[in-house]
Amino acid sequence: MEQQTSAAACGSEIQTSIINLDGLKPSAACHPTVERWRVEDIMALFELPFNDLLHRAQAVHREHFDPNAVQVSTLLSIKTGGCSEDCGYCPQAARYHTEVENEPLMKLDDVLAAAKAAKDSGASRFCMGAAWRGPKQRDLDPVLKMISEVKAMGLQTCATLGMLKDGQAEQLKEAGLDYYNHNLDTAPEFYGDVITTRTYQDRLDTLDRVRSMNINVCSGGIIGMGESRAQRAGLVAQLANMEQPPESVPINLLTQVEGTPLHGTDPLDPLEFVRTIAIARITMPTSFVRLSAGRQSMGEAVQALCFHAGANSIFYGEKLLTTGNPEVESDNALFSKLGLKKI
């Protein structure tokens, strides 16, 4: 899920300034187009004075959204641990020694109880995540039932189940899935330093299957994994240059978990994270830009800057898959201080 790297690679600065698309085959909707946003253009945004960048991002945000409204989602891990992938950031990978245990798929009644609690707390979208490389049909069948039942409760539905095979996106659409999450994680040049068990093209192929069924795409990345600024720009370019950019763009700050290869990576400067949010807003003006993993470590002031920079979606609740997330009461208090309303 949301893949092996060496400690030396994590801390090294990799010099790169362009996206290398060689070897990535064209795809129907999710491959980068030629030059809507060049990496050089995005790097120029990164280099703007901070106040100028936020002013531009806020202006773009106000053109397309209510600046005081935030979409609220809840993410539930319906199948935790035991994943065969080697994502260097993920405590659910079976090969790493973390405190996350391999658990079975949750029962339908338990998932529906969690969905009801999320709705009662103000969430409008309920996301279900499973630690699979990709679902087998026997895995997918009970999840389809979960999706249809959650949809019947009046919530938008989202799932992140790993790579999809031919025919699976059709089944998800028929069950009532509104969004499918599958992150690109980082730029192509840095990807192999973090993940080896699936390719960048695998990720694009899954997004194409989702898009071909008119399911909304949720795709973003993880910031602070030791990538260079140019590589952060490369990730944004990959997303912004899709024929149809994702409707939802989660920007995750690396949550370091002991036992994973990326534990011990130098922390990202918080203002660099805010800059990344602002640039995602400018380059993807009609997408919801979501504060995802890592919010717990940000504090109220950095979160407020992110909302000012154009973030207008959050994950809401006590846990984000297997790591901490600000509690509902804290989020409500911050929304009250900032005059934000939930949508």
Side-chain angles (χ1 to χ4, degrees):
M1 294 182 57
E2 310 233 76
Q3 329 180 356
Q4 185 168 8
T5 181
S6 67
C10 293
S12 63
E13 181 76 5
I14 297 177
Q15 300 296 326
T16 181
S17 60
I18 60 171
I19 296 178
N20 179 10
L21 299 181
D22 294 341
L24 296 186
K25 65 183 180 182
S27 54
C30 291
H31 71 290
T33 53
V34 180
E35 276 190 341
R36 185 187 301 158
W37 280 97
R38 299 180 305 164
V39 175
E40 295 92 327
D41 300 330
I42 297 172
M43 284 293 289
L45 291 176
F46 267 111
E47 291 160 8
L48 286 173
F50 188 74
N51 286 341
D52 291 349
L53 176 63
L54 262 63
H55 178 74
R56 180 168 171 180
Q58 177 66 197
V60 171
H61 189 49
R62 287 174 178 269
E63 288 178 10
H64 300 279
F65 292 99
D66 180 342
N68 298 307
V70 177
Q71 187 275 326
V72 174
S73 298
T74 292
L75 175 60
L76 177 69
S77 181
I78 60 172
K79 189 341 186 152
T80 301
C83 184
S84 63
E85 301 276 28
D86 71 351
C87 305
Y89 51 80
C90 186
Q92 301 201 67
R95 67 191 68 203
Y96 304 140
H97 299 291
T98 68
E99 295 182 356
V100 177
E101 299 293 334
N102 185 6
E103 300 177 4
L105 184 69
M106 288 180 65
K107 295 184 182 302
L108 175 62
D109 288 347
D110 294 334
V111 172
L112 296 182
K116 182 180 184 304
K119 184 177 181 182
D120 291 344
S121 295
S124 58
R125 187 180 307 162
F126 190 71
C127 304
M128 292 161 275
W132 293 319
R133 174 175 169 81
K136 300 179 175 64
Q137 191 59 44
R138 66 173 181 269
D139 301 322
L140 190 60
D141 288 338
V143 176
L144 297 174
K145 179 67 171 175
M146 294 174 189
I147 291 167
S148 62
E149 293 286 341
V150 171
K151 180 81 168 180
M153 296 172 63
L155 285 163
Q156 292 181 340
T157 56
C158 177
T160 178
L161 312 173
M163 294 185 291
L164 297 179
K165 304 180 185 70
D166 287 339
Q168 292 184 326
E170 288 87 338
Q171 295 177 68
L172 291 167
K173 176 70 173 181
E174 186 175 350
L177 189 69
D178 296 302
Y179 287 80
Y180 194 81
N181 167 257
H182 200 60
N183 290 334
L184 294 183
D185 283 354
T186 189
E189 297 87 352
F190 191 63
Y191 184 83
D193 289 68
V194 181
I195 301 157
T196 67
T197 49
R198 73 174 79 171
T199 68
Y200 216 80
Q201 188 63 54
D202 289 333
R203 293 182 181 270
L204 294 174
D205 288 346
T206 287
L207 292 177
D208 286 339
R209 290 185 173 103
V210 170
R211 186 63 84 191
S212 71
M213 293 309 301
N214 294 317
I215 299 171
N216 292 309
V217 168
C218 176
S219 187
I222 304 171
I223 308 302
M225 297 192 292
E227 76 284 349
S228 67
R229 176 179 274 187
Q231 289 160 346
R232 284 190 284 281
L235 168 64
V236 173
Q238 285 282 321
L239 296 164
N241 286 334
M242 288 179 179
E243 184 177 320
Q244 183 176 348
E247 283 78 11
S248 182
V249 181
I251 305 295
N252 300 273
L253 178 63
L254 175 66
T255 300
Q256 299 192 30
V257 179
E258 189 171 356
T260 60
L262 288 180
H263 182 256
T265 302
D266 290 339
L268 186 72
D269 187 298
L271 295 184
E272 184 73 6
F273 185 84
V274 177
R275 283 183 179 274
T276 307
I277 292 290
I279 289 165
R281 169 52 62 219
I282 292 166
T283 57
M284 292 171 278
T286 63
S287 300
F288 280 87
V289 176
R290 177 180 297 140
L291 295 184
S292 296
R295 269 204 312 129
Q296 188 178 44
S297 66
M298 293 179 192
E300 289 187 343
V302 174
Q303 289 186 66
L305 281 173
C306 288
F307 291 129
H308 184 67
N312 62 342
S313 178
I314 64 166
F315 274 126
Y316 189 66
E318 295 181 1
K319 266 196 171 184
L320 186 53
L321 291 181
T322 60
T323 57
N325 199 43
E327 295 183 356
V328 169
E329 293 80 5
S330 298
D331 285 331
N332 287 337
L334 179 59
F335 276 34
S336 179
K337 290 178 186 179
L338 300 179
L340 298 175
K341 60 189 177 185
K342 302 173 192 173
I343 55 174

